[in-house]
Amino acid sequence: MAEKVLVVGGGGREHALAWKLAQSEQIQQVLVAPGNAGTANCGKISNSEVSVSNHTILAQFCKDHHVGLVVVGPEVPLAAGIIDDLTAAGVPCFGPSAKAAQLEASKSFSKAFMERHGIPTARYGSFTDPEEACKYIRTADFPALVVKASGLAAGKGVIVAKDQDEACEAVMDIMKDRAFGAAGDTVVVEELLEGEEVSCLCFSDGSTVFPMPPAQDHKRLQDGDLGPNTGGMGAYCPTPQVSQELLQEIKERVLQKTVDGMKEEGTPYVGVLYAGLMLTKQGIKVLEFNCRFGDPECQVILPLLKSDLYEVILNTINGRLASSAPVWHQDSSAVTVVMASEGYPGSYKKGVQITGLTQVQDSGLQVFHAGTALKDGSVVSSGGRVLTVTAVKPSFEAALQAANQGVAAIGFPGAVYRRDIGHRAIAHLNQHRGLTYKDSGVDIAAGNKLVDMIKPLAKATSRAGCNAELGGFAGLFDLKAAGFTDPILVSGTDGVGTKLKIAQACAQHSGLGQDLVAMCVNDILAQGAEPLFFLDYFSCGRLDVNVAASVVGGIAKACEMAGCALLGGETAEMPGVYAPGEYDLAGFCVGAVERGALLPRLEDITAGDMLIGVASSGVHSNGFSLVRKVLEKAGLSYSSPAPFGKSGQTVGEVLLTPTKIYSRLLLPILHSGSVKAYAHITGGGLLENIPRVLPAELAVDLDASRWSIPAVFSWLHREGGLSEEEMARTFNCGLGAVLVVSPLDAQRVLLQLQAQEDAWIVGSLACKQPGGEPVVVRNLKHSLLGEGAASNQEAVVGQNGDSDKPLKRTKVGVLISGTGTNLQALIEQAKRPSSSAEIVVVISNRPGVQGLKRASLAGIQTRVVDHKLYGSRSEFDSTIDRVLEEFGVELVCLAGFMRILTGPFVKKWNGKLLNIHPSLLPSFKGVNAQKQALQAGVRVAGCSVHFVAEEVDAGAIIVQEAVPVLSGDTEESLSDRIREAEHRAFPAALELVASGAVRLSEDGHIMWKSS
């Protein structure tokens, strides 16, 4: 039987524990109390509001909710006896008893214990009198400069002083000024040890210990181990400083001795034992014991555990470790970097919004939340240490690079984090070997391997005038061999902008090659030039051969498409210039045109000439900084199902659609003499690019209703609240190129284009009026909203603003209990550019249901309000109401919500609460409506969407759809067909109410808005 597990705590350690436990097939649900934003609703994981300080209430909760195991994360409840109390109440739990937890809770006890059992540690003294402590500091025959509060101080009760005066000052701060409260009633003064500090943890079942891979924490706040002590700013695992031989010594001399000693003293130690060690010249010395997983060590150790953590815990509790050793991933390293609030470990601001988390996790990294909370659907900071970014890779260097890259991608204003996590490991690895160019970050062998990989790709682009052989100092091109007689050379250079960021986040690199070639080739077409050869520039901080080969391979294929040769390029590896995993691209294209065919022919262009637009493939390669901002605002990740594009595509896939290359399509037409000018619609959009090829006295008149605008632009316009001017100035809006032709040639050129590509006559040229706009785009907003041309007065946008304001959308909350098929229909409706509804939150009274996954995939915030956790219906409804208010919900839809709402709730939301029922109301109210219909022998059934009233299924009806009852119908077959009708009726009703077309009158009847 699948178990429920409760994890006690709310930090990054507890998120990591819950994350690892949830991977067990034996676990049904992981509750975290109190948890954080990361554990709020994540698959099997959800938060619980049960009190963990009142052990009696907690024990009863566990029994009532069939919790089969409690795992305690932090030290305070362990020291307070939570394990003892829950065990006495019959609740299985993991962790040491309060008496065993003294190893951490009392440093005075811990030091005396080590002394009794011959466990190596620093020389020390324990004091309750500050004057005696200071006397000891000044008279000891060793540097007694480490001052510790004996009790629990959240990992911050240790001061390493630089001299005796500072050590005495620390004693006074702790004992007289009570900097750590009662934890400082006793202080321990220790010898200052020198060496490498490491963390060695183990599982202990009271007799047997099994070490975990050693880790290293970074206590100081700032790079270079500077600044104040903290709870930990990052960690990595395993540590190369600890060999297998040394780990065995640590096991025998420290871990096993400790567990044996506790058993000998009548206090068996069961749980996780953490030994903080110093590797001195004299050997290993114990700095401290902790009675639980470290934080952030837990975030790097658990990702390396190959075994089922739940099974390991059961074996530990039941004394079976000797026969069931935990198994670890041997060929992986983990690195985690902590992001803390500005001001930590002192006072800091809370409520700072954090963005980019989904994108980081999409890139294969794990974000463990600590001091986070949810507010208005967003993740905000609520503590000092806010989150950690963990990377697991085959090598330490790769994990370090990936973790730092993940931190850099998170939007957290004022965040404090270290950029040198693992610096001691790097120093250790470099200590015994001489430096090479590769040590500086430049891998010549990798560069040579890349050249070898791309040589055949470049060779395939050979054309008349060039054989595309890589490897020389320069490339040659023979214009005469290419057939030119009186050529003018034309050059163009470009990049692909921040589309790079999306490709890097999605690990989809090859399409960028086509983008790069297209941006350069399409530019030189504006002079009528045939592209002859192409050069690329690829720069990075560290060369990933496979990524670079994917990019350059895409460039080579694109050169073939464009008809130009890949003649050469440069790969620049520049350590320290780019963030890990980032790279940049630039391209350079040279073409030629016969002198008499040069474009634009400015002297021939006149008012009345027609404009032919050639379709783009989407956003192409401009405006992606704005695109990414809109995605962030909409809460979508690159892996989310795209609310635009083809069915089944993700956001990232649609946005990475390569830029179209127009050379093979357009060159025959340009050379025919029919085209007077060609404009590439690139950065600057429709408003700025067309005038670049026109005489100054002419203006452009475009009609957006004449061409097809891809759905991505409609979505950007709506979700970003972008003005028509912003759209027309930033994006191509569906036109990748515009040709200027005479009216006599227009139809012939159009037909030539349409034989291979979508193209339209999109406008014309006119004389520019004094003070007039150089470009006017008519009907843009109507076309973006999918409404075609304006029916009366045309909507016009130039460079001075909008025709009117963006469409206001009604904020909708949906309540569910199960699979959410009606929810999916509502989501699809709300995705439409013309929809008046925006679903801002989905609430389920049951955790882990399919409907929550549907909402998450659509980028919609979700909440679980488990009715089983509430003592009354009114308390449950009040919680639902608070969540709806939190998200500013204006309209509520019940989509398979299997709870009856109380009268006060229904009254509050009167006229704003919709439900769907599987019958033609008022017939067959209540449950089993399909069964009732079959038993009654009716020939027509159906569904009804209605406003919710206090009486069940009695509110005013908004939409009904009839479904015929067929001979031989079963309850199941009829239900299936009614469900299909529901998927049409519910979205229709939602739209009617959200748009204001339908509302509920004060007397409870439907009122339609007059046209």
Side-chain angles (χ1 to χ4, degrees), residues 42-386:
C42 182
K44 294 181 182 179
I45 306 170
S46 57
N47 289 340
S48 171
E49 296 181 4
V50 65
S51 169
V52 295
S53 57
N54 188 318
H55 300 169
T56 304
I57 291 176
L58 181 60
Q60 190 59 49
F61 172 90
C62 293
K63 292 176 181 178
D64 292 345
H65 292 83
H66 309 292
V67 172
L69 174 68
V70 175
V71 178
V72 182
E75 63 276 14
V76 173
L78 290 170
I82 189 172
I83 300 295
D84 310 71
D85 293 341
L86 292 184
T87 302
V91 178
C93 42
F94 178 64
S97 65
K99 203 169 179 183
Q102 287 183 93
L103 280 174
E104 178 175 6
S106 171
K107 293 179 178 62
S108 179
F109 169 86
S110 177
K111 296 292 285 191
F113 174 86
M114 286 187 271
E115 199 169 47
R116 288 196 300 274
H117 293 279
I119 296 167
T121 186
R123 291 174 284 182
Y124 79 102
S126 182
F127 305 94
T128 55
D129 181 343
E131 301 299 334
E132 288 296 318
C134 288
K135 181 179 178 183
Y136 182 81
I137 289 168
R138 297 192 186 280
T139 59
D141 58 358
F142 55 84
L145 299 178
V146 180
V147 182
K148 297 180 177 181
S150 179
L152 296 176
K156 301 169 190 170
V158 178
I159 292 91
V160 180
K162 66 177 184 288
D163 54 35
Q164 292 178 351
D165 289 341
E166 189 175 296
C168 288
E169 186 180 336
V171 168
M172 295 303 173
D173 284 346
I174 293 173
M175 302 192 78
K176 284 198 168 183
D177 297 341
R178 301 184 65 77
F180 303 109
D185 288 347
T186 299
V187 297
V188 170
V189 179
E190 282 186 359
E191 173 186 11
L192 177 65
L193 299 175
E194 293 185 1
E196 191 86 35
E197 190 173 343
V198 295
S199 305
C200 289
L201 289 76
C202 69
F203 292 104
S204 166
D205 63 8
S207 298
T208 303
V209 298
F210 264 99
M212 305 177 197
Q216 186 172 66
D217 185 13
H218 297 64
K219 285 291 187 185
R220 297 282 188 165
L221 180 70
Q222 298 163 4
D223 288 354
D225 292 325
L226 300 174
N229 264 344
T230 69
M233 294 302 293
Y236 63 93
C237 178
T239 55
Q241 301 93 317
V242 179
S243 65
Q244 283 301 311
E245 293 77 16
L246 182 55
L247 185 59
Q248 183 64 27
E249 181 186 348
I250 292 167
K251 176 185 176 183
E252 293 170 0
R253 295 187 60 202
V254 175
L255 301 175
Q256 190 67 58
K257 261 192 173 184
T258 302
V259 171
D260 290 346
M262 294 297 284
K263 186 177 181 180
E264 181 185 315
E265 295 189 4
T267 309
Y269 192 99
V270 178
V272 170
L273 177 63
Y274 170 132
L277 305 170
M278 183 72 82
L279 308 181
T280 73
K281 291 179 180 178
Q282 293 75 39
I284 53 174
K285 298 287 182 76
V286 177
L287 296 174
E288 63 175 354
F289 284 121
N290 291 329
C291 56
R292 35 71 192 182
F293 276 105
D295 186 343
E297 290 95 338
C298 186
Q299 291 91 303
V300 288
I301 292 174
L302 287 185
L304 298 181
L305 178 62
K306 195 173 184 179
S307 300
D308 183 326
L309 177 61
Y310 177 66
E311 291 182 0
V312 174
I313 288 175
L314 292 185
N315 290 333
T316 304
I317 292 172
N318 297 319
R320 296 197 298 261
L321 274 181
S323 58
S324 302
V327 179
W328 302 88
H329 292 286
Q330 296 300 319
D331 299 320
S332 296
S333 289
V335 174
T336 197
V337 180
V338 173
M339 299 186 76
S341 296
E342 186 175 13
Y344 174 80
S347 60
Y348 49 82
K349 181 181 178 183
K350 297 182 180 180
V352 178
Q353 186 171 350
I354 304 165
T355 59
L357 299 174
T358 304
Q359 290 89 330
V360 170
Q361 299 208 142
D362 286 347
S363 68
L365 304 179
Q366 183 61 44
V367 177
F368 292 116
H369 291 239
T372 63
L374 292 171
K375 182 180 180 182
D376 297 330
S378 298
V379 176
V380 299
S381 64
S382 64
R385 291 191 297 169
V386 176

Side-chain angles (χ1 to χ4, degrees), residues 743-918:
L744 293 175
D745 293 326
Q747 284 302 321
R748 178 172 52 79
V749 172
L750 182 63
L751 289 173
Q752 284 179 273
L753 290 168
Q754 288 175 337
Q756 300 178 62
E757 183 61 87
D758 288 334
W760 311 268
I761 294 177
V762 296
S764 61
L765 299 181
C767 292
K768 190 193 301 183
Q769 299 301 313
E773 298 290 350
V775 180
V776 169
V777 186
R778 304 181 184 278
N779 300 316
L780 180 56
K781 179 171 183 177
H782 295 275
S783 297
L784 286 167
L785 295 178
E787 299 170 359
S791 55
N792 298 315
Q793 184 179 358
E794 292 178 311
V796 178
V797 59
Q799 291 181 320
N800 289 330
D802 289 337
S803 57
D804 50 40
K805 295 179 182 178
L807 179 71
K808 183 186 180 299
R809 310 185 83 208
T810 299
K811 292 185 177 181
V812 178
V814 184
L815 307 189
I816 64 168
S817 295
T819 58
T821 57
N822 271 322
L823 166 65
Q824 188 63 43
L826 297 176
I827 290 173
E828 294 300 326
Q829 175 62 32
K831 282 181 184 176
R832 297 176 182 272
S834 57
S835 175
S836 298
E838 177 189 7
I839 300 176
V840 294
V841 66
V842 172
I843 306 171
S844 172
N845 67 306
R846 294 176 180 169
V849 297
Q850 181 65 28
L852 292 172
K853 295 178 183 176
R854 293 179 189 270
S856 295
L857 286 171
I860 299 170
Q861 291 283 329
T862 61
R863 294 290 185 273
V864 174
V865 182
D866 190 340
H867 61 279
K868 295 177 183 176
L869 302 182
Y870 295 86
S872 66
R873 283 172 55 200
S874 61
E875 186 183 354
F876 170 71
D877 285 4
S878 295
T879 304
I880 295 277
D881 184 56
R882 283 198 300 274
V883 176
L884 294 172
E885 294 283 359
E886 175 191 344
F887 282 88
V889 169
E890 301 166 278
L891 181 64
V892 182
C893 294
L894 309 183
F897 185 64
M898 306 305 290
R899 305 293 300 170
I900 296 176
L901 296 165
T902 57
F905 184 94
V906 173
K907 283 180 181 175
K908 175 176 178 178
W909 291 91
N910 185 45
K912 305 171 188 174
L913 192 58
L914 310 186
N915 183 43
I916 189 159
H917 184 72

Side-chain angles (χ1 to χ4, degrees), residues 44 67 133 185 220 345 505 538 550 607 609 621 914 946 970 981:
K44 294 181 182 179
V67 172
D185 288 347
R220 297 282 188 165
F538 180 96
S550 179
D609 280 344
S621 299
L914 310 186
H946 61 94
T970 64

Side-chain angles (χ1 to χ4, degrees), residues 981-996:
E982 289 178 348
H983 297 169
R984 295 186 292 271
F986 211 163
L990 169 67
E991 206 57 52
L992 287 171
V993 179
S995 66

